[in-house]
Amino acid sequence: MRTSIVRVLLFAWLAAICPKPSFAGEPPAVTADVIVYGGTSSGIAAALQLSRMGKTVVLIEPTRRIGGLTTGGLGATDIGNKAAIGGIAREFYRNIKAYYDSPSNWKWQSRSEFFTKTPKEDAMWVFEPSAALKVYQNMLSREKVKLVYGERLNRATGVAKEKGAITSIRMENGTVYKGKMFIDATYEGDLMAAAGVSYTYGREANRQYGETLNGVQANRVNVTLKGTVSRNARYHNFVDGVDPYVVKGDQSSGLLPGINPGGPGIEGVADKKIQAYCFRMTLTDHPDNRIPFAKPANYDERNYELLFRNYEAAYNGVIEDMYDYGDKLVPWINSKMPNRKTDINNQKGFSTNFIGQNYAYPEGSYEEREKIIKAHRLHQQGLMWTLANHPRIPEKVRNIVSQWGTCKDEYDNGSNGWQEQLYIREARRMVSDYVMTQYHCEGLKVVEDPVGLAAYTMDSHMVQRYVDANGYIQNEGNVAAPVGAPFPISYRSIIPKKEECGNLLVPVCLSASHIAFGSIRMEPVFMVLGQSSAIAAALAIDDKVSLQDLSYEKLKQALVANQQRLAVEKP
């Protein structure tokens, strides 16, 4: 009996002091103070801050390119109020300015050609994707950040937890990362979801949080809680009288592609539909750098019939409804970037947004998401060829669009100037103990524990296409309503409920209603929240407490010391 006890104790002692063997063919675990999953702008800001606070950090980017949308085409920064941006985010935009202060970085045009007036700001807010990538790479090169490319989380069984905290995460290739704190900086919230944290997606009903701009928004007028009336919702829709049927006027012929046969739903009621995605194309009109738009091999003209009919209806007497964002009749927002390039965004009723084709994306498998991304790319490739070449497109439009093309010197991925990063405007949203809502956006509620500011319009792109009571096509879901002033974002909205996870921060898929997220979801804000998440993680490690038990006063002092802006001084 005594011998058996001694053997048990001996085996227990050996197990404690000896490293656990890896499974066959499996690399040893990688350990760091903090594991950041997602090399988006938010993830990069988090990793930089952690390194500067002396913490070991691993930054895992599932693709082969860091920076997310900031290096993926969104060069016309959506910002609202520049005074709301501080810390590493502002440092990034100052570095962009320094990049373009160098004459060597002006290849396709001169600095004086781009700037009609000498800029007086300390930062620059428009840039090429390649410039943003170089700036991020330079910033990371000065820090001790272990950067890992091309590894995806095992979403089914890859998160190990003990006593309400994550202990490790496993990638699809078997690599295990152990940390004291974890940050989910992905656009999809994959680590958050796999860790068993509560979340939602789609649109809440207005009644859930007492909002007015959530749920189905089929009316073309947005009314805020303060009673402000915005008619911006009429934008990005079809002109009157566009027929939705394969054979005009013949309901029995069926609907054209992309139209919801069931109608929009009841105004203000919840659904699981997602605002539209697109690629923020980087185009150029410089002949030596331009790749002309090519006709996709599997091009199907039916997919663009609604576009043709929208133009035909406009030319039948209501052309004034085809409002202008610079190029009359061209369905794009063409924002000027340095070196004769542009950031292209959606505009009008049929454009780059692939409306209604992304509903499965938030919860989809990696393979399902890849199919959705590919379908979006084919939609835009076909759209651009159509606008530049098809005889049913007005000649004025063809003449403008055919001058443009993708860039030879952007996105060196063998795809003729097309980026890999889809504009994931919204996917999952965490549901924590504190939810940011329309009340916060309008200043009717003010949080007591700010970790950053948001300032952009409450914004949602179109969600679906349907046939109205008159038998014509309509888009539904667009919201564009003012916030009035920068508003603070709660610390509690970037951490889960304590009982769900005590060492995870979620600076991108944070706890917010659909319409509040529509204001918060801007790249500078994601950088701000990423940095704030890193500061909280470092302090919680030092104090040996859960994120929920961290002293906010201590966090606030550290945020301010690191140039985060928690309020905007009134002039």
Side-chain angles (χ1 to χ4, degrees):
M1 179 72 175
R2 183 176 299 172
T3 302
S4 299
I5 294 173
V6 170
R7 285 177 178 173
V8 170
L9 292 174
L10 177 62
F11 288 144
W13 177 73
L14 288 171
I17 65 171
C18 295
K20 294 181 180 179
S22 299
F23 294 107
E26 202 177 80
V30 178
T31 301
D33 291 324
V34 183
I35 309 299
V36 181
Y37 184 62
T40 60
S41 58
S42 185
I44 293 172
L48 291 170
Q49 182 64 38
L50 287 161
S51 174
R52 293 174 187 182
M53 296 181 77
K55 302 304 177 188
T56 55
V57 54
V58 177
L59 175 61
I60 306 169
E61 169 48 42
T63 72
R64 304 300 307 178
R65 186 182 177 99
I66 58 169
L69 265 299
T70 298
T71 65
L74 208 166
T77 307
D78 296 317
I79 199 163
N81 187 324
K82 296 170 184 176
I85 306 302
I88 287 174
R90 199 165 196 93
E91 177 185 338
F92 167 78
Y93 294 109
R94 286 171 176 159
N95 289 340
I96 290 289
K97 180 180 183 297
Y99 176 90
Y100 285 112
D101 282 343
S102 173
S104 64
N105 290 321
W106 295 90
K107 180 178 181 180
W108 303 110
Q109 70 180 151
S110 68
R111 178 181 171 85
S112 60
E113 286 175 324
F114 181 75
F115 290 110
T116 56
K117 296 181 180 179
T118 303
K120 298 180 180 180
E121 291 188 72
D122 67 334
M124 186 169 168
W125 309 91
V126 294
F127 46 84
E128 301 158 273
S130 53
L133 181 61
K134 290 173 183 175
V135 167
Y136 275 142
Q137 289 171 334
N138 186 45
M139 293 173 75
L140 285 167
S141 71
R142 298 196 295 268
E143 304 294 339
K144 294 180 179 179
V145 175
K146 180 177 176 59
L147 180 56
V148 178
Y149 288 100
E151 293 191 9
R152 301 188 304 196
L153 176 69
N154 178 337
R155 291 161 55 189
T157 60
V159 177
K161 293 173 70 178
E162 290 181 8
K163 298 178 180 180
I166 301 171
T167 56
S168 67
I169 59 175
R170 184 185 298 272
M171 303 295 107
E172 286 185 315
N173 65 1
T175 304
V176 174
Y177 295 91
K178 295 182 178 181
K180 299 172 185 175
M181 293 283 162
F182 292 80
I183 297 175
D184 184 345
T186 64
Y187 293 120
E188 296 84 3
D190 282 342
L191 176 54
M192 170 193 71
V197 171
S198 298
Y199 66 88
T200 188
Y201 61 93
R203 301 182 285 189
E204 297 94 347
N206 271 330
R207 66 182 181 182
Q208 182 168 344
Y209 297 117
E211 298 172 309
T212 63
L213 301 175
N214 213 332
V216 175
Q217 296 286 318
N219 292 334
R220 294 194 180 189
V221 177
N222 300 148
V223 182
T224 68
L225 292 164
K226 291 182 176 179
T228 302
V229 177
S230 171
R231 301 189 183 277
N232 291 331
R234 68 186 174 87
Y235 294 144
H236 312 300
N237 223 318
F238 289 86
V239 301
D240 293 336
V242 176
D243 193 290
Y245 300 108
V246 174
V247 177
K248 289 184 179 181
D250 183 0
Q251 187 172 349
S252 66
S253 66
L255 293 168
L256 287 167
I259 301 174
N260 176 11
I266 300 172
E267 190 76 7
V269 170
D271 61 25
K272 288 298 182 183
K273 297 171 183 175
I274 310 296
Q275 62 173 310
Y277 300 164
C278 70
F279 287 97
R280 292 290 285 259
M281 296 178 295
T282 307
L283 305 184
T284 183
D285 64 350
H286 196 295
D288 294 336
N289 194 32
R290 180 174 63 91
I291 304 172
F293 299 119
K295 186 177 183 179
N298 56 350
Y299 178 83
D300 187 344
E301 192 172 283
R302 289 186 309 163
N303 293 329
Y304 305 98
E305 182 64 27
L306 288 174
L307 174 68
F308 301 141
R309 293 183 186 182
N310 200 41
Y311 277 122
E312 290 161 359
Y315 272 93
N316 284 335
V318 288
I319 197 167
E320 65 274 7
D321 287 342
M322 300 288 284
Y323 57 91
D324 185 21
Y325 262 110
D327 294 326
K328 194 71 175 178
L329 292 180
V330 180
W332 64 20
I333 299 175
N334 187 324
S335 300
K336 184 174 68 171
M337 299 292 111
N339 282 311
R340 283 180 64 170
K341 296 176 186 175
T342 70
D343 170 358
I344 298 292
N345 200 4
N346 181 86
Q347 189 220 76
K348 300 186 173 71
F350 195 107
S351 182
T352 58
N353 279 353
F354 201 19
I355 298 172
Q357 307 308 305
N358 61 344
Y359 299 162
Y361 186 89
E363 297 280 70
S365 67
Y366 292 127
E367 293 73 21
E368 289 168 334
R369 288 177 182 170
E370 284 301 320
K371 290 179 182 178
I372 292 170
I373 292 170
K374 182 178 180 181
H376 278 71
R377 187 178 293 110
L378 287 173
H379 162 73
Q380 279 186 236
Q381 289 173 337
L383 171 69
M384 299 316 293
W385 180 87
T386 300
L387 291 169
N389 297 281
H390 202 285
R392 288 179 68 187
I393 297 296
E395 184 179 6
K396 291 180 180 179
V397 174
R398 282 183 277 135
N399 289 342
I400 293 172
V401 177
S402 61
Q403 296 175 31
W404 296 86
T406 54
C407 303
K408 295 177 181 178
D409 63 349
E410 295 286 353
Y411 313 118
D412 185 19
N413 54 18
S415 60
N416 291 319
W418 286 88
Q419 64 266 64
E420 296 298 319
Q421 179 64 63
L422 184 63
Y423 191 176
I424 309 302
R425 290 188 170 95
E426 186 175 6
R428 298 185 181 102
R429 301 186 306 280
M430 181 168 63
V431 180
S432 70
D433 287 326
Y434 199 92
V435 180
M436 299 295 296
T437 70
Q438 185 179 341
Y439 283 87
H440 300 99
C441 299
E442 295 190 42
L444 297 172
K445 290 183 179 179
V446 180
V447 306
E448 299 175 350
D449 55 350
V451 288
L453 300 172
Y456 198 71
T457 298
M458 289 179 282
D459 176 76
S460 174
H461 282 240
M462 291 299 187
V463 175
Q464 60 184 326
R465 290 193 169 118
Y466 70 98
V467 181
D468 68 15
N470 297 315
Y472 298 126
I473 188 70
Q474 298 287 347
N475 291 335
E476 181 275 321
N478 190 62
V479 177
V483 299
F487 61 93
I489 302 166
S490 171
Y491 172 57
R492 288 164 290 169
S493 73
I494 64 170
I495 57 174
K497 300 170 184 176
K498 185 176 181 179
E499 63 270 20
E500 292 184 343
C501 194
N503 67 339
L504 174 67
L505 294 117
V506 187
V508 177
C509 296
L510 73 158
S511 181
S513 71
H514 159 70
I515 196 59
F517 189 82
S519 174
I520 296 169
R521 63 172 184 84
M522 305 302 151
E523 290 288 289
V525 180
F526 286 157
M527 278 190 265
V528 167
L529 297 180
Q531 182 182 5
S532 294
S533 294
I535 294 171
L539 294 178
I541 290 172
D542 291 343
D543 289 355
K544 296 181 173 59
V545 297
S546 70
L547 293 164
Q548 292 81 1
D549 291 334
L550 178 65
S551 163
Y552 175 71
E553 286 306 312
K554 188 171 186 177
L555 174 60
K556 181 179 179 181
Q557 290 176 13
L559 294 172
V560 173
N562 284 278
Q563 288 77 52
Q564 291 286 57
R565 300 184 181 183
L566 306 182
V568 173
E569 294 183 5
K570 295 181 179 180

